[in-house]
Amino acid sequence: MLVKKIFNNNVLLAEEASQELIVIGRGVGFQQKIGGQIDVSKIEKSYCPQDDQWIKLFNELTDSISSEYIEIASHIITMAEEHLATTFDDYLLIGLADHIQYAVTRWQSKLPIKNELLWETQHFYPEEYHIGELAVDYIATRLNIKLPVDEVGFIALKFVEKRNGPQENERATQMIQLIEGILTIIRYELFQPLNTAFYKHFGENWGNVYFFDRIFRASSF
């Protein structure tokens, strides 16, 4: 496996058997040169896309953001694959790294974005929400930046989409928006905010979720 491009000490574009791939690992690019042999024992994760478009997008990404965000995104994806017992396609690396950079830039500029679907994401997609929590904690460790809890939900939905496909993510977003609308009507009719006990009961009653999911599945035919 040979070095084709050096992004930093931990991220390389490599070539093996005429196939380009991205390799990530601590020190994998340290003191490397173009054409040099890569120490495969230092590779922690590799991305071997099956289409040339991915490599093009990745090169464009590295031109616009720090490769540190790529390392962070790769680590978060590895954590998610371990916790969710699944694998994600290589495009998630590009989307997640770009999102993390954008989130950090907003935080530094004091321009937070309110996540209106945070509660729904937490209760209806608890596994992905947990990944969002781990991601925000890891970003804090790496960058000494504590992103707002809204980002937990935004990152969680990235994994909802990639775990179930874009169509499922669209249906998930529609479903939690519908639920939020119903809860708003209930608050309006009661002329008072709903207490924690109500939300807890609603979130634990998964029959509500399956009912709304059946509505959207039926409407797609």
Side-chain angles (χ1 to χ4, degrees), residues 9-83:
N9 286 338
N10 303 321
V11 184
L12 297 174
L13 173 63
E15 185 173 16
E16 185 176 41
S18 300
Q19 170 69 50
E20 291 185 325
L21 63 158
I22 299 298
V23 296
I24 298 175
R26 184 172 297 276
V28 70
F30 181 66
Q31 293 186 336
Q32 277 286 7
K33 296 180 179 180
I34 304 300
Q37 190 73 32
I38 296 174
D39 183 354
V40 296
S41 66
K42 294 182 178 180
I43 298 175
E44 298 171 6
K45 192 172 181 62
S46 60
Y47 296 85
C48 187
Q50 300 303 310
D51 61 280
D52 295 335
Q53 180 67 15
W54 190 92
I55 291 292
K56 179 182 178 182
L57 288 173
F58 187 87
N59 276 301
E60 291 175 355
L61 178 70
T62 55
D63 287 339
S64 59
I65 73 168
S66 167
S67 54
E68 185 173 20
Y69 292 113
I70 298 170
E71 296 175 49
I72 292 172
S74 179
H75 182 86
I76 292 170
I77 292 170
T78 298
M79 286 195 302
E81 290 178 336
E82 292 173 354
H83 280 79

Side-chain angles (χ1 to χ4, degrees), residues 124-169:
F124 303 142
Y125 296 96
E127 293 181 325
E128 290 85 354
Y129 188 87
H130 180 56
I131 299 302
E133 291 178 316
L134 294 176
V136 168
D137 287 343
Y138 182 69
I139 292 169
T141 300
R142 284 291 300 266
L143 303 178
N144 196 29
I145 290 175
K146 186 62 175 179
L147 295 176
V149 68
D150 302 84
E151 277 302 327
V152 172
F154 289 135
I155 292 174
L157 286 178
K158 288 281 184 184
F159 288 96
V160 171
E161 176 182 359
K162 288 299 182 180
R163 193 179 187 186
N164 302 306
Q167 183 178 6
E168 181 66 23
N169 184 57

